[in-house]
Amino acid sequence: QVQLVESGGGLVQAGGSLRLSCAASGSIFSINYMGWYRQAPGKQRELVAATTRDGNVDYADSVKGRFTVSRDNAKNTVYLEMNSLKFEDTGVYYCNAHGRTRERPLYEFVIWGQGTQVTVSS
């Protein structure tokens, strides 16, 4: 079994910063893709930022220049540095990972974390 545990959410004023972390644990063989998604009330879940094991990154247009995604492959951990936060960044942030376990290295799993709330006050 592989699990994702997120941390770092909270309440912050507009213009402030937060750093989210997501650590994968379990019988991991490799993790290729790790990403952050968010879901605002009444809206669909959307991609915020993602990174692959070889360093490729992708950002939603709305966060480019403000958010930075990074990862520590040795720790199977992905981070999201969020600066210049806006009210519209409010939502539940979910970590997502695609990888393989030691028991089933030919099968790619896709898992989600439980989510962490980010609230930006205007």
Side-chain angles (χ1 to χ4, degrees):
Q1 291 286 350
V2 178
Q3 292 182 329
L4 297 178
V5 177
E6 299 130 330
S7 60
L11 173 64
V12 64
Q13 288 189 331
S17 299
L18 283 174
R19 187 179 192 234
L20 305 183
S21 299
C22 170
S25 63
S27 184
I28 298 169
F29 178 71
S30 66
I31 295 182
N32 180 29
Y33 173 97
M34 297 190 84
W36 289 98
Y37 293 72
R38 68 185 177 195
Q39 188 164 18
K43 295 187 177 181
Q44 289 188 333
R45 193 174 297 188
E46 62 176 358
L47 173 69
V48 176
T51 177
T52 61
R53 187 176 184 85
D54 57 3
N56 292 320
V57 296
D58 188 24
Y59 294 96
D61 288 342
S62 60
V63 305
K64 286 180 180 177
R66 300 188 297 121
F67 290 12
T68 302
V69 64
S70 62
R71 65 189 282 175
D72 184 332
N73 289 329
K75 296 181 179 180
N76 290 319
T77 300
V78 64
Y79 307 95
L80 185 66
E81 187 75 35
M82 304 185 293
N83 298 314
S84 302
L85 282 161
K86 304 176 181 180
F87 175 76
E88 50 266 37
D89 293 319
T90 295
V92 179
Y93 283 67
Y94 296 91
C95 181
N96 174 258
H98 300 195
R100 302 178 189 274
T101 65
R102 295 192 186 96
E103 290 77 15
R104 302 179 69 184
L106 300 182
Y107 171 77
E108 185 178 60
F109 65 76
V110 179
I111 58 172
W112 291 89
Q114 79 284 357
T116 184
Q117 177 71 44
V118 171
T119 303
V120 183
S121 61
S122 57

